[in-house]
């Protein structure tokens, strides 16, 4: 047994000497000699995984409100409006509005007296506006017609408007609010107008009168397009009177007919009057409060040739109060002064006009509650 132990010692000693010799031999290899070897990536990445077990709360303190993540649709309300589908953006902005205002008065055994009456006013408004960089083109068409029915008398007209406006502008850069503009305005009416209770002799008709303004100038238009001021030092105003009877009388400023001593027409009256003057147009939309809007439209014109400094005024002011999407209340005023429109004409016994009359201030006020639909 002692011999076996000695043999193990000899074997271990021999292995130690052999390992020492190999180590010395490796250190003796020159640094310039690179032995054949295989590169082995010895990078070691240690990954530490921490696992923690959540303990269930056994005792909940007072005042702590723990809610369960439960999804409920009990408080979900349906959509009131239709979902708006995606549309490709356009440089055109449009507005279409259709509506009717109604006012009514009824009496039953009313001691103070009164007549039953009902009034209706229908209106249509179309707007097509284009804006892209340097160019802007605004187009507006307003149509209004109103009637009044009162117990004991026939229908009477309360409103009659056809109005078309078009303004084309160009600006030199995209940050300026001033445009070089060309503007066209056209006004007339649908049906005959009378000085009630006379219903036999019309005092106005379709295209009698008809007004056409066309000229060039400059426009200041705010970024929100609610303020528009147009100045035109050169505007042509054309007045049309296509009813020959009114033209022979010289209505609305046209050249009247030449009559003989017996009142017979020698030379018919002119159907057209051409003027050249200065025009100012102002449109302003202002939000007074929530669902309350004010709209002002003002036209001022003076003629260079015949009566420079005598200004024709056409001012319309409306306050719109929207109750909801469809119910609309309107308070409006309209003021007109035109020295070509004469009142209180005087005729002698033979029917010859002895006094053509004089111009007067015209004023109208309207209050209506009705339905308006935008489409």
């Amino acid at each position: 047994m002692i011999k076996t132990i000695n043999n193990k010692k000899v074997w271990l000693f021999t292995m130690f000497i052999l390992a020492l010799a190999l180590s010395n031999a490796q250190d003796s290899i020159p640094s310039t000699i690179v032995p054949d070897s295989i590169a082995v990536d010895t990078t070691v990445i240690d990954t530490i995984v921490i696992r923690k077990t959540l303990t269930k709360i056994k005792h909940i303190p007072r005042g702590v409100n723990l809610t369960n993540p439960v999804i409920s649709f009990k408080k979900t309300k349906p959509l009131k409006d239709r979902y708006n589908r995606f549309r490709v953006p356009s440089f055109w902005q449009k507005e279409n509005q259709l509506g009717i205002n109604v006012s009514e008065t009824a009496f039953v055994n009313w001691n103070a007296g009164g007549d039953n009456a009902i009034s209706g006013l229908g209106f249509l408004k179309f707007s097509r506006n284009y804006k892209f960089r340097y160019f802007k083109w605004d187009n507006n068409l307003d149509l209004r017609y109103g009637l009044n029915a009162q117990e004991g008398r026939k229908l009477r007209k309360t409103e009659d408007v056809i109005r078309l406006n078009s303004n084309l502008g160009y600006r030199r850069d995209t940050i300026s609010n001033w445009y070089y503009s060309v503007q066209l305005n056209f006004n007339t009416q649908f049906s005959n107008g009378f000085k009630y209770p006379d219903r036999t002799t019309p005092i106005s008709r379709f295209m009698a009168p008809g007004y056409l303004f066309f000229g060039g100038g400059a426009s200041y238009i705010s970024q929100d397009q609610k303020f528009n001021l147009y100045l035109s030092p050169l505007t042509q105003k054309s007045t049309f009177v296509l009813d020959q009877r009114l033209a022979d009388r010289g209505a609305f400023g046209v050249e009247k007919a030449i009559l003989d001593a017996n009142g017979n027409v020698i030379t018919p009256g002119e159907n057209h009057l051409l003027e050249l003057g200065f025009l100012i147009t102002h449109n302003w939309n202002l939000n007074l409060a929530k669902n309350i809007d004010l709209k002002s439209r003002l036209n001022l014109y003076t003629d260079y040739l015949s009566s420079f400094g005598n200004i024709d005024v056409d001012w319309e002011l409306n306050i719109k109060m929207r109750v909801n999407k469809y119910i609309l209340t309107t308070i409006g005023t309209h003021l007109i002064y035109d020295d070509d429109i004469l009142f209180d004409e005087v005729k002698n016994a033979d029917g010859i006009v002895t006094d053509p009359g004089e111009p007067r201030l015209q004023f109208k006020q309207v209050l209506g509650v009705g339905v308006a639909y935008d489409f």
Side-chain angles (χ1 to χ4, degrees):
M1 183 176 180
I2 295 174
K3 185 177 180 179
T4 302
I5 293 173
N6 292 333
N7 290 337
K8 289 182 178 181
K9 291 181 177 181
V10 172
W11 182 80
L12 291 173
F13 180 76
T14 304
M15 293 299 294
F16 174 77
I17 296 299
L18 180 59
L20 182 61
L22 291 174
S23 175
N24 294 332
Q26 183 177 3
D27 294 337
S28 63
I29 297 175
S31 59
T32 57
I33 300 174
V34 180
D36 296 337
S37 61
I38 299 174
V40 179
D41 188 2
T42 59
T43 303
V44 179
I45 300 176
D46 295 332
T47 302
I48 301 175
V49 179
I50 300 176
R51 292 183 176 88
K52 184 178 180 180
T53 303
L54 297 177
T55 58
K56 186 176 180 180
I57 301 176
K58 297 181 180 179
H59 303 285
I60 301 176
R62 292 183 178 181
V64 176
N65 184 16
L66 300 179
T67 58
N68 296 325
V70 178
I71 299 176
S72 175
F73 297 96
K74 293 182 179 180
K75 297 182 179 181
T76 303
K77 297 181 180 180
L79 291 175
K80 295 182 179 180
D81 299 329
R82 292 190 306 170
Y83 175 74
N84 294 327
R85 298 179 58 185
F86 173 77
R87 295 182 179 181
V88 178
S90 173
F91 300 111
W92 286 92
Q93 293 182 350
K94 69 176 183 178
E95 179 184 0
N96 304 316
Q97 190 176 67
L98 169 65
I100 182 171
N101 292 336
V102 178
S103 60
E104 184 261 348
T105 304
F107 302 94
V108 177
N109 300 326
W110 191 252
N111 183 58
D115 294 328
N116 298 333
I118 184 171
S119 297
L121 170 64
F123 60 90
L124 276 170
K125 180 179 180 181
F126 301 97
S127 176
R128 296 293 184 272
N129 300 327
Y130 174 86
K131 183 179 181 181
F132 177 70
R133 291 176 64 84
Y134 309 112
F135 290 94
K136 181 175 177 60
W137 188 21
D138 296 338
N139 302 276
N140 297 282
L141 175 63
D142 291 330
L143 307 175
R144 298 201 298 268
Y145 195 82
L147 293 172
N148 172 265
Q150 187 172 343
E151 186 178 8
R153 69 181 187 183
K154 298 181 180 179
L155 286 175
R156 293 188 177 186
K157 185 172 64 172
T158 59
E159 183 85 358
D160 193 354
V161 174
I162 300 175
R163 182 182 298 116
L164 172 65
N165 299 323
S166 182
N167 185 296
L168 177 63
Y170 169 80
R171 59 182 176 177
R172 301 181 62 182
D173 54 69
T174 56
I175 61 175
S176 175
N177 292 329
W178 284 97
Y179 292 80
Y180 301 105
S181 299
V182 176
Q183 180 167 294
L184 181 144
N185 298 339
F186 174 74
N187 303 328
T188 189
Q189 62 190 48
F190 285 100
S191 63
N192 296 346
F194 300 94
K195 187 176 181 180
Y196 298 107
D198 181 12
R199 294 176 176 272
T200 58
T201 307
I203 60 174
S204 62
R205 304 185 68 177
F206 175 74
M207 290 301 294
Y211 298 104
L212 176 66
F213 296 86
F214 181 76
S219 296
Y220 179 86
I221 305 174
S222 62
Q223 290 293 339
D224 57 6
Q225 302 186 36
K226 293 184 177 181
F227 183 92
N228 189 322
L229 176 64
Y230 171 71
L231 306 173
S232 175
L234 192 63
T235 295
Q236 172 188 304
K237 177 184 177 182
S238 297
T239 303
F240 300 94
V241 182
L242 301 187
D243 182 86
Q244 193 58 48
R245 185 188 60 82
L246 295 174
D248 291 341
R249 292 172 48 194
F252 310 107
V254 298
E255 190 68 27
K256 64 181 180 179
I258 299 176
L259 307 178
D260 59 14
N262 297 323
N264 299 318
V265 176
I266 300 175
T267 303
E270 297 289 339
N271 299 109
H272 177 242
L273 173 64
L274 183 63
E275 298 175 276
L276 185 65
F278 193 99
L279 175 66
I280 299 176
T281 300
H282 179 219
N283 291 280
W284 187 26
N285 297 331
L286 179 64
N287 181 255
L288 300 177
K290 185 178 180 181
N291 295 332
I292 301 178
D293 297 321
L294 180 145
K295 182 176 181 180
S296 173
R297 182 189 61 84
L298 174 64
N299 285 1
L300 303 175
Y301 180 82
T302 182
D303 180 49
Y304 289 133
L305 304 179
S306 60
S307 57
F308 182 74
N310 190 1
I311 301 175
D312 296 338
V313 181
D314 185 357
W315 183 25
E316 190 172 6
L317 183 67
N318 292 299
I319 297 178
K320 295 183 178 180
M321 295 172 285
R322 186 171 286 276
V323 180
N324 54 33
K325 186 177 180 180
Y326 300 105
I327 306 301
L328 182 67
T329 301
T330 303
I331 302 174
T333 61
H334 195 177
L335 185 147
I336 296 176
Y337 178 81
D338 190 342
D339 63 337
D340 294 328
I341 302 177
L342 305 179
F343 294 86
D344 295 335
E345 180 184 76
V346 179
K347 297 181 180 180
N348 58 16
D350 298 328
I352 300 176
V353 176
T354 59
D355 185 0
E358 59 182 2
R360 289 186 177 180
L361 189 67
Q362 306 174 55
F363 180 78
K364 180 181 65 175
Q365 186 270 330
V366 177
L367 171 62
V369 179
V371 178
Y373 176 69
D374 298 326
F375 60 96

